[in-house]
């Protein structure tokens, strides 16, 4: 039932004018992505990956209906009708494909990176799961499948494997003769420190996205703070950004009001982000982003999100409360 209102919004959104729907008074529109790929990316099965052509079309759509603003402008004046683009995980396509397109179109953006993955030091556990899933699809292995199942990871739930079971993924990879370290060294899926600095020098904002991207709802508040602190310390020492920004990995759902206030009061960040879509937030320096990488028609998805916001607003539920 929780997703029923969104399903209704998707069904009804084609009946509404795009311009009128998107011109409604809303919070700033904050779509976010992870990557753009012209070739299949075997480590990414967790979300749809669009190609360069589609990405350009989506950017043109944003520019048609919204005004692009920088992260600094967002912190000073969060006006309706504006949009700020961001990208999570610090993948190499950010420098190879995404940034040149954004510069060409004059669109500012923020790249949120995981300090534990920069320079290809380690691979995100969900990307490990994707590599395993890819191998299992082409070369089924009963021993690996049984091992995963016995440890609470059925194949149908493999892509949702939590951070706490990353060592199980490591052993399953050994059974399948998948070498994560070799993948990191040969494919280099993440940006290097020098590439991140180059993005910053070109005018893009760099933010923190935790140290190793765990599901915050499944770890203690103490560990949540540790992940944030390590991430933001790396950011300050490496980039020293004008605006210190942090985006919660996966979601800020179940993250306490106390924790969000703490990381701001300690001066770790100036602005922070969740992923609840187009919604207001009770915390003035905490914003909600819209996950743009969704199945289905992109334009209809955006329209449905704004219709969903309007429907929730009529019943007083357009604001995220922590």
């Amino acid at each position: 039932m929780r997703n029923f209102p969104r399903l209704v919004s998707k069904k009804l959104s084609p009946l509404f004018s795009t311009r009128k729907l998107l011109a409604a008074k809303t919070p700033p529109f904050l779509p976010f992505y992870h990557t753009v790929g012209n070739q299949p990316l075997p480590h990414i099965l967790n979300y749809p990956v669009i190609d360069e052509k589609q990405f350009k079309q989506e950017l043109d759509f944003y520019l048609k209906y919204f005004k692009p603003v920088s992260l600094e402008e967002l912190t000073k004046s969060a006006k309706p009708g504006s949009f700020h683009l961001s990208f999570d995980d610090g993948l190499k396509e950010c420098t190879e494909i995404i940034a040149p397109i954004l510069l060409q179109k004059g669109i500012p953006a923020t790249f949120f990176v995981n300090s534990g993955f920069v320079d290809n030091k380690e691979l995100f556990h969900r990307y490990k799961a994707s590599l395993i899933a890819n191998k299992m699809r082409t070369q089924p292995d009963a021993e690996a499948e049984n091992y995963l199942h016995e440890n609470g990871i059925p194949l149908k739930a493999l892509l949702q494997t939590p951070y706490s079971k990353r060592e199980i993924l490591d052993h399953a990879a050994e059974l399948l003769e998948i070498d994560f370290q070799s993948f990191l060294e040969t494919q280099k899926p993440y940006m290097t420190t020098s590439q991140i600095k180059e993005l910053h020098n070109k005018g893009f904002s760099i933010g923190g996205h935790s140290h190793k991207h765990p599901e915050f709802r499944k770890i203690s508040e103490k560990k949540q703070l540790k992940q944030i602190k390590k991430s933001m310390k790396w950011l300050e020492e490496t980039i020293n950004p004008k605006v210190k920004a942090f985006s919660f990995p996966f979601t800020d759902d179940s993250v306490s009001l106390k924790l969000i206030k703490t990381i701001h009061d300690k001066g770790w960040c100036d602005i922070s982000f969740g992923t609840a879509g187009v919604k207001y937030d009770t915390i003035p320096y905490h914003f909600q982003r819209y996950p743009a990488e969704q199945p289905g028609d992109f334009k209809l998805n955006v329209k449905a999100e704004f219709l969903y916001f309007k429907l929730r607003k009529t019943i007083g539920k357009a604001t995220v409360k922590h």
Side-chain angles (χ1 to χ4, degrees):
M1 291 299 292
R2 187 176 181 181
N3 293 322
F4 183 72
R6 285 193 181 276
L7 293 174
V8 171
S9 298
K10 285 192 175 184
K11 292 289 185 181
L12 295 178
S13 62
L15 304 176
F16 291 78
S17 159
T18 302
R19 186 166 294 281
K20 287 184 178 179
L21 197 57
L22 272 55
K25 185 178 180 181
T26 66
F29 186 40
L30 307 174
F32 77 95
Y33 298 78
H34 294 82
T35 191
V36 172
N38 294 319
Q39 303 294 332
L41 300 174
H43 56 297
I44 301 179
L45 298 179
N46 314 73
Y47 45 83
V49 176
I50 60 173
D51 61 20
E52 189 173 339
K53 180 181 178 182
Q54 177 64 25
F55 181 56
K56 289 179 178 178
Q57 291 174 353
E58 295 183 11
L59 294 181
D60 289 339
F61 178 86
Y62 297 142
L63 290 170
K64 181 177 180 179
Y65 295 103
F66 305 95
K67 177 186 176 183
V69 295
S70 67
L71 182 66
E72 188 174 2
E73 289 174 314
L74 183 64
T75 60
K76 292 180 178 179
S77 179
K79 293 181 179 179
S82 62
F83 84 98
H84 182 72
L85 209 58
S86 57
F87 301 83
D88 289 356
D89 295 5
L91 295 160
K92 68 177 181 181
E93 291 81 15
C94 292
T95 54
E96 296 176 353
I97 299 176
I98 295 168
I101 295 172
L102 297 179
L103 288 169
Q104 183 183 29
K105 292 183 177 290
I107 300 175
T110 300
F111 295 91
F112 291 105
V113 301
N114 299 96
S115 50
F117 304 152
V118 174
D119 293 318
N120 294 286
K121 295 191 292 288
E122 193 172 326
L123 190 63
F124 176 32
H125 62 282
R126 293 288 177 91
Y127 294 164
K128 290 181 177 182
S130 289
L131 289 175
I132 291 172
N134 260 317
K135 185 72 175 285
M136 293 289 283
R137 288 176 182 179
T138 56
Q139 300 177 44
D141 186 290
E143 183 183 5
E145 183 176 352
N146 288 336
Y147 171 76
L148 288 167
H149 186 77
E150 289 169 359
N151 285 278
I153 309 176
L155 286 186
K156 63 181 181 180
L158 179 56
L159 296 179
Q160 285 74 51
T161 302
Y163 179 75
S164 61
K165 295 190 176 183
R166 61 196 183 282
E167 292 181 0
I168 296 170
L169 293 177
D170 290 341
H171 184 65
E174 290 179 12
L175 295 175
L176 293 166
E177 297 183 346
I178 298 173
D179 189 335
F180 292 141
Q181 187 58 40
S182 177
F183 180 82
L184 286 166
E185 292 172 358
T186 57
Q187 299 300 314
K188 300 185 187 305
Y190 294 107
M191 290 189 286
T192 63
T193 300
S194 61
Q195 288 174 321
I196 294 170
K197 287 181 177 179
E198 185 179 352
L199 284 179
H200 184 248
N201 291 337
K202 288 180 178 178
F204 293 109
S205 302
I206 309 297
H209 192 47
S210 80
H211 186 56
K212 292 189 178 180
H213 211 304
E215 298 85 354
F216 269 39
R217 69 184 183 278
K218 294 186 176 183
I219 62 175
S220 67
E221 191 164 293
K222 182 178 179 180
K223 289 182 178 179
Q224 292 175 6
L225 286 168
K226 185 177 180 180
Q227 284 280 333
I228 298 170
K229 185 177 182 179
K230 289 187 77 170
S231 174
M232 299 310 291
K233 182 180 179 182
W234 177 91
L235 181 69
E236 188 166 7
E237 291 177 349
T238 308
I239 304 297
N240 191 25
K242 190 170 185 179
V243 177
K244 292 181 287 186
F246 180 80
S247 68
F248 284 89
F250 294 107
T251 174
D252 64 343
D253 187 26
S254 79
V255 173
S256 71
L257 173 63
K258 175 187 173 185
L259 182 137
I260 296 174
K261 285 187 173 181
T262 295
I263 64 175
H264 286 271
D265 291 344
K266 286 180 176 291
W268 294 354
C269 61
D270 304 308
I271 186 172
S272 54
F273 299 88
T275 58
V278 178
K279 289 186 180 73
Y280 292 110
D281 198 282
T282 53
I283 306 173
Y285 43 75
H286 187 71
F287 293 80
Q288 296 297 331
R289 299 184 298 160
Y290 167 73
E293 296 157 325
Q294 299 183 35
D297 183 272
F298 163 76
K299 294 180 182 179
L300 288 181
N301 286 343
V302 175
K303 288 180 64 177
E305 182 67 20
F306 276 76
L307 179 57
Y308 180 65
F309 170 82
K310 291 188 71 174
L311 293 174
R312 290 185 66 89
K313 191 175 181 181
T314 58
I315 58 175
K317 292 189 176 182
T319 301
V320 173
K321 299 176 182 179
H322 302 274

